[in-house]
Amino acid sequence: MNNHQFDVIVVGAGGAGLMAGLYASRTAKTAVISKLYPTRSHTGAAQGGISAALGNLEEDRIEWHTYDSIKGSDYLGDQDAIEFMCQEAPQAVLELEHMGLPFDRTPEGRISQRPFGGHTNNDTGKPVSRACHAADRTGHMILQTLYQQCIKNDVNFYDEYQVVDLLTNNGKAVGVIAVELSSGELHTFHAKSVILATGGHGRIFEVTSNAYAYTGDGAALVLRKGIPLEDLEFFQFHPTGIYKLGILITEGVRGDGGVLINGNGERFMPKYAPSVKDLASRDVVSRAIYTEIREGRGIGGSNYVYLDVRPETVNKYAALDGRTNPDGSAYTVTGEEILKKLPDIIDFCRVYLGVDPVTQMMPIQPTAHYTMGGIPTNKFGQVIVDDKNTVYPGLYAAGECACVSVHGGNRLGTNSLLDLVVFGKYAGLTAAEYANKTDFESLPSGSEEEIKALFDAMKHGSGTENAFDISTAMKSVMFDLVGIYRTEKDMEKAIEKVRELQVRYKEIKVADTGKIFNTDLINAWELGNMLEIAELIAISALNRKESRGGHSREDYPKRNDVEWLKHTLVKKENGKVELNYKPVTITKYQPKERVY
Ligand SMILES: Cc1cc2nc3c(=O)[nH]c(=O)nc-3n(C[C@H](O)[C@H](O)[C@H](O)COP(=O)(O)OP(=O)(O)OC[C@H]3O[C@@H](n4cnc5c(N)ncnc54)[C@H](O)[C@@H]3O)c2cc1C
């Protein structure tokens, strides 16, 4: 009864998984398995928007979007994949619209767009309105729309099933094992194609904008099969997380005119990015905030600054910057307009901080936000295993868990939702196409027994270690020692500490020995994934002796294209870490210094 067979299995029901499921199900028998109820996936938390050079408010071009993404990636992104994504973007957004996504509108009825960090008019260097949005809950709307489409198209869902093993045989992916969370029962899913769309792993860090579910399950599953992960050292810190809580305040706030203010009451971004100022790319803004704090200009000398979106401030700086509306009139906002544009953000601040952004400034600090690295894939979503781009048959990945690589060293805001929709679709199509021309491979034996033994040891073994303690220690080690600024000494210390935690992890014992919704057990299993990835992030970062995008080394402050214009591939087999590198695909944009 617990054995299932589908042509295509999708693990994950966020934007990438739903898009993959929707497209695969058109031609192949498809199931989507998700540890969360689909609409609880982290895609639902995305606020600001999805990028596409529609040019609805002002001139915009696909080539500008492409170049901005390449420049934003600090030239580590693969240019063929970026060109493909930006080319597909307008059609992808229109497809979402036609599926029923309620985008905000311009007065003429077109999809409304707002400026976002790093997206520019390449002629003037000024920010361009490229982010299509539904207020500040764009991801929520994408998720609801795609889920409805999946239901309409009879995609099979296994909600609240946690995948705990990837099954492979003869060098091919052949299925997964999942725990049905409500009963604790194991289920085996036999498939011809497996698509991983499991999201990121930001929960490795202490202060993060990421959901509790961001524990890197998909990445850890492939690692255990000897498949490498790509560019793990590139982790994005978003400049504006709510102080101490890490909850994200969208860049859309700065897109709509908000500015960053230091402890001296000064707007400091013009010092770091004279042209685009508060709308520089995220790595640049995060480092600027950190520098202000380190040099004693945090608020009251503390480790945070203010984000100010009060109408009087917005109007003052918009006038100073000469910002205009598309019709050429001066850009101004009222309190009511701020409320309308940013309802959820205002709610968060009122609830969590007791601060009303319409009349008060928001205390913010950079927060661990997004992994640029992940499971290596090509632009068709096929997982690749080496520097020669060899495909792993039957295995696909899309969304944040994957590394195509369209974000390279640093992702531009709104490019992730685009990545999900574009590459989720192609992963779905390619996986179904493969499934339709191949036969079922037999399942390996003994996999369920191994999982049972692992869980039994955690529940009934003689260990004395507590998952919460190990997890807390890992998070602070990673945030403090492998964070925004990195040094050799810190990272060596981090690797040593994470390895100590891995040893302690082997002696873990969970308190709940039951079967029904045993979150204690599942969280302990997830911690194992995070510890493996944390170690490889630190090792990849230690080995990359340069600064690029989100990876900033104080001991190697410059980008070094001669030695380091290449992707990292890292894997761990039989306890041994192996690092490898592969070239970056350059089409027509030669690396230049990034100036904002
Ligand atoms: C607060 C916040 C705001 C953001 N705002 C924006 C924005 O405005 N624009 C933008 O472009 N990007 C934004 N991003 C980034 C973007 O939202 C994410 O990168 C993207 O939504 C990830 O989508 P996904 O489909 O890869 O993963 P998710 O939406 O997280 O889905 C992952 C799925 O995998 C499932 N899963 C995971 N592990 C398992 C397992 N072991 N077994 C079964 N199922 C599993 C989960 O249940 C879930 O359904 C934001 C991110 C955050 C955190």
Side-chain angles (χ1 to χ4, degrees):
M1 225 175 70
N2 290 355
N3 293 327
H4 315 266
Q5 200 176 60
F6 290 93
D7 295 329
V8 179
I9 289 289
V10 184
V11 185
L18 292 179
M19 200 69 186
L22 195 56
Y23 271 90
S25 68
R26 288 185 174 180
T27 56
K29 192 177 161 205
T30 302
V32 177
I33 307 176
S34 176
K35 68 179 179 182
L36 302 172
Y37 186 75
T39 50
R40 289 185 172 273
S41 304
H42 191 64
T43 297
Q47 302 166 355
I50 173 167
S51 54
L54 296 176
N56 282 356
L57 288 160
E58 54 188 316
E59 185 188 2
D60 198 7
R61 297 192 198 153
I62 288 169
E63 295 74 39
W64 292 351
H65 188 188
T66 307
Y67 176 66
D68 288 341
S69 304
I70 291 168
K71 177 182 171 189
S73 83
D74 221 349
Y75 294 91
L76 192 74
D78 285 324
Q79 297 184 4
D80 55 342
I82 296 176
E83 281 169 348
F84 179 71
M85 178 179 80
C86 296
Q87 195 74 43
E88 289 280 310
Q91 194 202 329
V93 166
L94 293 182
E95 186 181 3
L96 290 174
E97 184 196 35
H98 295 167
M99 284 180 187
L101 198 148
F103 283 112
D104 286 359
R105 300 277 158 188
T106 65
E108 302 78 41
R110 294 192 179 139
I111 294 173
S112 176
Q113 298 186 279
R114 57 161 60 115
F116 238 77
H119 294 277
T120 63
N121 172 318
N122 287 187
D123 287 343
T124 62
K126 292 251 162 66
V128 72
S129 297
R130 187 178 289 150
C132 311
H133 56 92
D136 55 358
R137 33 180 105 100
T138 315
H140 172 88
M141 295 305 184
I142 290 182
L143 209 49
Q144 300 289 335
T145 305
L146 291 177
Y147 186 49
Q148 286 166 8
Q149 288 293 326
C150 284
I151 296 295
K152 180 178 154 206
N153 289 290
D154 295 326
V155 177
N156 300 285
F157 278 94
Y158 289 85
D159 299 337
E160 299 186 332
Y161 278 62
Q162 181 120 5
V163 171
V164 289
D165 200 8
L166 170 66
L167 300 175
T168 57
N169 206 2
N170 291 330
K172 292 179 187 163
V174 296
V176 296
I177 295 179
V179 186
E180 180 180 6
L181 296 174
S182 62
S183 67
E185 296 283 315
L186 290 183
H187 289 247
T188 296
F189 292 83
H190 192 186
K192 295 177 188 170
S193 301
V194 176
I195 304 176
L196 298 170
T198 50
H201 48 249
R203 279 278 148 188
I204 286 171
F205 296 96
E206 187 178 347
V207 178
T208 177
S209 66
N210 285 184
Y212 282 97
Y214 263 31
T215 52
D217 300 358
L221 291 179
V222 305
L223 261 182
R224 285 178 205 136
K225 298 294 161 190
I227 297 168
L229 298 178
E230 182 172 345
D231 291 341
L232 281 188
E233 63 273 39
F234 293 98
F235 200 94
Q236 178 170 83
F237 287 78
H238 191 293
T240 57
I242 293 181
Y243 180 48
K244 286 193 180 155
L245 302 175
I247 295 172
L248 191 82
I249 300 189
T250 173
E251 207 165 295
V253 170
R254 282 170 286 133
D256 288 338
V259 294
L260 292 161
I261 303 284
N262 68 16
N264 298 341
E266 295 156 351
R267 180 194 191 191
F268 54 86
M269 274 316 296
K271 225 170 29 189
Y272 300 91
S275 173
V276 283
K277 306 184 180 87
D278 297 83
L279 284 175
S281 75
R282 289 179 178 170
D283 54 338
V284 175
V285 183
S286 285
R287 281 195 291 274
I289 295 174
Y290 202 84
T291 307
E292 290 295 306
I293 290 170
R294 271 214 304 209
E295 293 177 0
R297 293 187 297 279
I299 307 302
S302 191
N303 59 343
Y304 66 96
V305 296
Y306 282 134
L307 175 59
D308 190 350
V309 74
R310 295 173 301 175
E312 59 272 27
T313 311
V314 170
N315 297 340
K316 172 177 149 193
Y317 288 109
L320 279 173
D321 293 348
R323 182 167 173 181
T324 53
N325 293 312
D327 65 5
S329 59
Y331 178 86
T332 57
V333 291
T334 62
E336 289 79 59
E337 282 164 345
I338 294 283
L339 257 174
K340 207 164 143 218
K341 284 173 190 240
L342 303 163
D344 276 8
I345 294 300
I346 289 173
D347 237 28
F348 288 156
C349 289
R350 286 177 179 164
V351 171
Y352 295 113
L353 288 171
V355 163
D356 183 351
V358 180
T359 56
Q360 292 166 293
M361 296 189 280
M362 298 168 257
I364 58 98
Q365 71 179 144
T367 181
H369 183 55
Y370 183 87
T371 175
M372 274 73 73
I375 306 165
T377 70
N378 59 24
K379 64 184 181 193
F380 307 109
Q382 293 168 304
V383 171
I384 50 185
V385 294
D386 57 22
D387 51 352
K388 291 173 200 69
N389 294 323
T390 308
V391 168
Y392 195 97
L395 190 58
Y396 303 80
E400 189 167 340
C401 73
C403 179
V404 184
S405 134
V406 280
H407 309 304
N410 169 63
R411 170 175 73 84
L412 291 190
T414 68
N415 268 358
S416 169
L417 291 180
L418 177 61
D419 165 359
L420 309 182
V421 181
V422 171
F423 296 106
K425 169 178 166 180
Y426 282 95
L429 287 172
T430 321
E433 194 187 334
Y434 173 79
N436 288 333
K437 59 175 198 222
T438 191
D439 291 329
F440 280 100
E441 186 79 39
S442 57
L443 286 167
S445 56
S447 307
E448 280 207 19
E449 287 66 32
E450 277 176 36
I451 296 290
K452 274 197 188 120
L454 177 77
F455 286 172
D456 272 351
M458 285 184 186
K459 290 206 283 197
H460 308 294
S462 56
T464 52
E465 289 288 353
N466 171 301
F468 181 77
D469 294 343
I470 298 178
S471 173
T472 310
M474 171 193 67
K475 286 165 202 268
S476 70
V477 165
M478 291 303 287
F479 196 73
D480 295 344
L481 304 178
V482 198
I484 296 182
Y485 279 110
R486 298 166 171 180
T487 64
E488 183 170 305
K489 208 164 117 235
D490 280 354
M491 287 185 288
E492 279 173 346
K493 200 149 103 199
I495 294 166
E496 191 189 315
K497 294 208 163 177
V498 170
R499 285 182 174 158
E500 276 167 29
L501 296 173
Q502 287 174 338
V503 172
R504 284 176 58 192
Y505 178 78
K506 292 196 178 123
E507 299 300 318
I508 214 158
K509 175 83 181 260
V510 299
D512 184 351
T513 54
K515 294 192 106 193
I516 300 169
F517 284 111
N518 190 341
T519 48
D520 212 10
L521 178 68
I522 290 299
N523 291 348
W525 178 79
E526 290 172 340
L527 173 62
N529 299 338
M530 291 196 282
L531 284 168
E532 283 177 44
I533 295 168
E535 182 196 4
L536 299 186
I537 292 177
I539 289 175
S540 304
L542 176 66
N543 218 52
R544 184 176 282 274
K545 296 186 175 52
E546 66 156 354
S547 290
R548 182 188 297 272
H551 171 67
S552 207
R553 298 249 338 214
E554 292 192 273
D555 38 3
Y556 298 94
K558 289 237 155 52
R559 195 176 85 196
N560 176 351
D561 288 335
V562 177
E563 284 172 274
W564 289 103
L565 186 60
K566 54 189 180 186
H567 299 289
T568 305
L569 291 175
V570 65
K571 63 179 171 182
K572 192 172 180 182
E573 273 182 305
N574 306 321
K576 215 174 129 258
V577 175
E578 201 183 293
L579 279 163
N580 216 326
Y581 292 89
K582 69 168 190 169
V584 172
T585 307
I586 309 260
T587 55
K588 56 183 178 207
Y589 305 91
Q590 287 307 318
K592 282 200 262 185
E593 201 190 333
R594 276 199 310 168
V595 181
Y596 281 102

